[in-house]
Amino acid sequence: MDTSAQKIKELKAFAIKIRIETIKETADLGFGHLGGAMSVVELLAVLYGEVMRIDPKNPSWPDRDWLICSKGHAGPAVYAALALKGYFPLEELSTLNKPGTNLPSHCDRSKTPGIDMTTGSLGQGASLAVGVALGHRLDKRDNYTYLILGDGELQEGQVWEAAMLAAHHGLDRLIAFVDYNKQQLDGYVRDINDPGDISGKFESFGWNAYEADGRDVADILEKIVLAKQAKGKPSVIVLDTIKGQGCTFAEGKLDNHHMTVSREQAEEALAVLYKELEEVTGQ
């Protein structure tokens, strides 16, 4: 993988573009799952911008890498990344969660080109990812399976059943990410059901565990390189993030899981992001 300074610059710019389009599509609707979408933007930029083997013109390409966003409410950010990569026209983002759309509130593989698995019922994506990774192995394919989990989602027992099975089968082409933004739908994770040492828990289940700054594309990419070098075990990368990160009116707010978005709020946030993009690209 390319870890050059130029590539890091490109990934930073890509992340800003994903954030811009996510805010625009949510503002066009007037409400949406913004907090948890914002906190995975840098990860999505790294995955779609450098790491994953994909073909936007052939979303069902058998040799592609798979992404399963188990926290399906982050769909708006995934859609923005897909549109920017050319899976479907950018203009379709304005149809988010509207009648007849192919971009529902949560990820749906039957509707959206580039979505590999329908998700939204938290915890289930982990089991799906293990099944996909095991299926690829049985088919003697070298595809990677990438899984995005929320930190509140770790309260679901199904996640740990899947983790145990993945370790048992040594699924070293499965890499999971925990969006450790420290909030869930109705409060702080620590106050509702504290997950404790997330890396340590996964290690005790037989996984390789890494930690990264989820706001730093270079750090995320570096940890993915390490995870891909490790053999014999699945890997997890715990991303230190902020719910709503990079969005002026949402970052760190307790009520940002699903929120209303005014035109004024969106314009303020977009002005900041366009300035950041100009600083990164020099254009």
Side-chain angles (χ1 to χ4, degrees):
M1 285 185 286
D2 186 357
T3 59
S4 67
Q6 178 59 35
K7 172 54 66 173
I8 297 305
K9 180 179 177 180
E10 292 173 4
L11 294 177
K12 288 180 179 178
F14 188 29
I16 296 171
K17 291 175 183 178
I18 294 172
R19 190 163 275 117
I20 287 171
E21 296 302 330
T22 304
I23 292 174
K24 285 167 61 177
E25 63 181 317
T26 307
D28 193 75
L29 182 64
F31 57 87
H33 291 101
L34 198 59
M38 291 286 102
S39 52
V40 296
V41 164
E42 277 71 21
L43 170 61
L44 293 173
V46 172
L47 290 175
Y48 284 105
E50 174 59 20
V51 173
M52 290 200 303
R53 184 171 62 189
I54 55 174
D55 182 357
K57 295 181 180 179
N58 183 14
S60 298
W61 178 39
D63 291 330
R64 74 189 185 281
D65 292 334
W66 283 51
L67 174 65
I68 298 171
C69 186
S70 188
K71 44 173 287 179
H73 52 276
V78 180
Y79 302 152
L82 291 172
L84 287 164
K85 291 298 292 185
Y87 280 85
F88 51 85
L90 206 60
E91 295 74 25
E92 281 193 32
L93 292 176
S94 65
T95 71
L96 174 70
N97 212 23
K98 294 178 180 178
T101 187
N102 288 319
L103 307 176
S105 180
H106 291 70
C107 299
D108 188 333
R109 68 184 298 275
S110 69
K111 293 182 176 294
T112 313
I115 294 295
D116 292 312
M117 193 62 70
T118 301
T119 54
S121 296
L122 295 178
Q124 294 185 6
S127 296
L128 295 171
V130 172
V132 169
L134 187 56
H136 287 156
R137 172 180 288 179
L138 292 172
D139 288 341
K140 295 181 171 27
R141 295 188 177 280
D142 64 354
N143 316 53
Y144 272 89
T145 304
Y146 298 97
L147 166 68
I148 302 177
L149 297 162
D151 49 359
E153 183 177 9
L154 299 184
Q155 295 160 7
E156 297 282 355
Q158 188 169 351
V159 172
W160 301 104
E161 294 175 15
M164 183 167 55
L165 186 63
H168 174 75
H169 286 288
L171 298 178
D172 53 12
R173 289 186 174 270
L174 170 62
I175 300 176
F177 305 90
V178 176
D179 177 20
Y180 184 43
N181 62 35
K182 306 155 201 73
Q183 293 177 228
Q184 57 192 92
L185 186 150
D186 50 3
Y188 293 107
V189 177
R190 67 173 183 267
D191 296 330
I192 296 169
N193 195 0
D194 192 347
D197 180 1
I198 296 173
S199 296
K201 278 188 169 66
F202 273 95
E203 286 178 336
S204 72
F205 273 72
W207 288 52
N208 298 304
Y210 308 89
E211 296 180 353
D213 183 345
R215 297 155 290 183
D216 184 344
V217 294
D219 195 16
I220 296 170
L221 184 57
E222 177 186 337
K223 296 307 165 34
I224 293 174
V225 170
L226 292 175
K228 295 185 80 167
Q229 290 173 347
K231 303 301 178 185
K233 297 180 181 180
S235 294
V236 64
I237 301 173
V238 181
L239 302 173
D240 183 13
T241 61
I242 302 171
K243 196 163 187 175
Q245 71 187 29
C247 179
T248 55
F249 61 88
E251 183 171 318
K253 300 294 177 60
L254 192 56
D255 61 349
N256 66 9
H257 183 82
H258 187 282
M259 63 190 307
T260 57
V261 182
S262 70
R263 184 57 58 184
E264 292 74 23
Q265 287 175 316
E267 289 175 354
E268 174 191 341
L270 291 172
V272 172
L273 290 168
Y274 282 124
K275 184 177 180 180
E276 288 182 8
L277 184 60
E278 183 179 349
E279 291 173 351
V280 170
T281 62
Q283 299 176 352

